[in-house]
């Protein structure tokens, strides 16, 4: 008989959270679907359709978001440039970039000097949940 296979990394239910997030995505249908999925996972989500709206949402009263999920290509401001502006006031801000461009690369680095994680579209809710949880747990 064959030896038992180790459990897959993504075995079990999608990880949940309760953090405040800022989701920046210019595609309205995808933005709505992602916000709903993240809400179903327990997160509180502020949404923005572009860089200017993201800067406004980030500056809204109350505590700043604990992480940003940001499309790489936005109509008014590139995702990495937006993140650079957000990190001017919150240098420790965790970021997960999202991109539908094949072969997309992001030049940004996190506070430890590692490349900012990039999730290629399309992705499943489970893949998003796991990538986000890793990002938040690694703060």
């Amino acid at each position: 008989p064959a030896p038992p296979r180790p459990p897959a990394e993504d075995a079990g239910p999608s990880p949940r959270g309760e953090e405040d997030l800022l989701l920046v995505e210019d595609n309205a249908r995808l933005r709505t679907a992602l916000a709903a999925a993240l809400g179903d996972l327990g997160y509180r989500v502020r949404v923005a359709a572009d860089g200017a709206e993201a800067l406004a949402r980030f500056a809204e009263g109350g505590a700043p978001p604990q992480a940003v999920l940001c499309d790489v290509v936005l109509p008014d401001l590139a995702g990495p440039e937006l993140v650079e502006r957000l990190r001017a006031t919150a240098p420790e801000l965790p970021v997960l970039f999202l991109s539908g461009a094949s072969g997309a690369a992001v030049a940004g680095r996190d506070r430890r000097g590692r490349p900012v994680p990039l999730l290629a579209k399309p992705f499943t809710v489970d893949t998003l949940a796991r990538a986000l949880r890793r990002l938040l747990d690694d703060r």
Side-chain angles (χ1 to χ4, degrees):
R5 298 172 70 194
E9 180 183 328
D10 60 352
S14 296
R16 301 176 55 79
E18 54 185 34
E19 289 88 352
D20 293 310
L21 307 174
L22 174 60
L23 170 63
V24 189
E25 170 59 57
D26 60 323
N27 180 299
R29 292 179 73 191
L30 182 55
R31 185 174 59 248
T32 300
L34 288 174
L38 291 165
D40 289 346
L41 290 168
Y43 296 101
R44 292 175 298 277
V45 185
R46 299 179 205 174
V47 296
D50 57 34
E53 189 177 359
L55 291 168
R57 295 279 180 269
F58 190 82
E60 285 178 346
Q66 292 162 291
V68 173
L69 288 80
C70 184
D71 193 0
V72 172
V73 178
L74 296 168
D76 62 342
L77 189 64
E81 185 180 344
L82 169 62
V83 167
E84 188 176 307
R85 288 189 188 184
L86 295 174
R87 284 187 169 162
T89 57
E92 303 289 317
L93 184 66
V95 174
L96 176 62
F97 281 115
L98 313 172
S99 180
S102 62
V106 180
R109 300 261 175 210
D110 69 11
R111 64 185 172 90
R112 295 183 183 143
R114 298 173 301 198
V116 174
L118 173 70
L119 194 56
K121 299 174 190 174
F123 48 80
T124 66
V125 171
D126 184 66
T127 300
L128 173 63
R130 291 182 189 288
L132 180 56
R133 194 70 257 155
R134 276 191 304 272
L135 179 75
L136 291 165
D137 290 345
D138 194 34
R139 291 185 276 171

